Amino acid sequence: MPFVRTSVRKGTSQDRKSQIVAGVHQALIAAIGMPEDELFNMVAEYEPGDFFYDRTFNGIARSDDLVVLEITLRRGRSDAMKRTLYASIASRLEEAGISPKDVFIFMHENDYSDWSVGNGAFAMAIVQQRGSDT
């Protein structure tokens, strides 16, 4: 279950935020086989004066509209899967009008033992089992 933190420049419209979330979600489904119901994406705005970054790091010309995606997920995806995921995210966000140059992605990987996804249950004990709250 990936958990995504999306940071966008203050003043980004709700529609643009929704497009970013949808694009990232669809890329996760397509590239790593994430189930559709695993949507957890927290969007936050940053003030322009509170985020400092190099506009030309690694030879990429970034604008004022940098979108930062921090993805936390269970370890086990290959480098090829990650490469496909990053490209898919950039492509889907470009369809939403965001330059691929302004898409900055990084990942944190961990294990099932590092999660509790509800009811205080240790995720290791419920590994991908679908439950019922009734």
Side-chain angles (χ1 to χ4, degrees), residues 29-121:
I29 292 168
I32 67 169
M34 182 187 76
E36 272 192 58
D37 68 341
E38 291 187 7
L39 171 60
F40 296 92
N41 191 323
M42 183 176 294
V43 179
E45 294 185 344
Y46 61 84
E47 292 281 351
D50 290 337
F51 182 33
F52 299 85
Y53 58 92
D54 191 308
R55 291 179 176 278
T56 60
F57 173 72
N58 214 24
I60 299 171
R62 293 169 186 83
S63 78
D64 289 334
D65 295 318
L66 192 64
V67 174
V68 180
L69 301 167
E70 180 179 357
I71 303 171
T72 302
L73 73 166
R74 182 182 43 82
R75 134 177 27 263
R77 276 48 175 225
S78 68
D79 285 351
M81 289 176 83
K82 292 175 190 176
R83 197 174 294 117
T84 299
L85 175 61
Y86 301 156
S88 181
I89 289 171
S91 174
R92 289 168 191 272
L93 295 191
E94 185 174 29
E95 291 172 11
I98 298 164
S99 170
K101 295 177 181 185
D102 287 331
V103 180
F104 190 92
I105 306 166
F106 62 100
M107 283 196 172
H108 303 284
E109 294 182 302
N110 55 32
D111 295 308
Y112 283 115
S113 62
D114 298 309
W115 297 82
S116 174
V117 296
N119 293 331

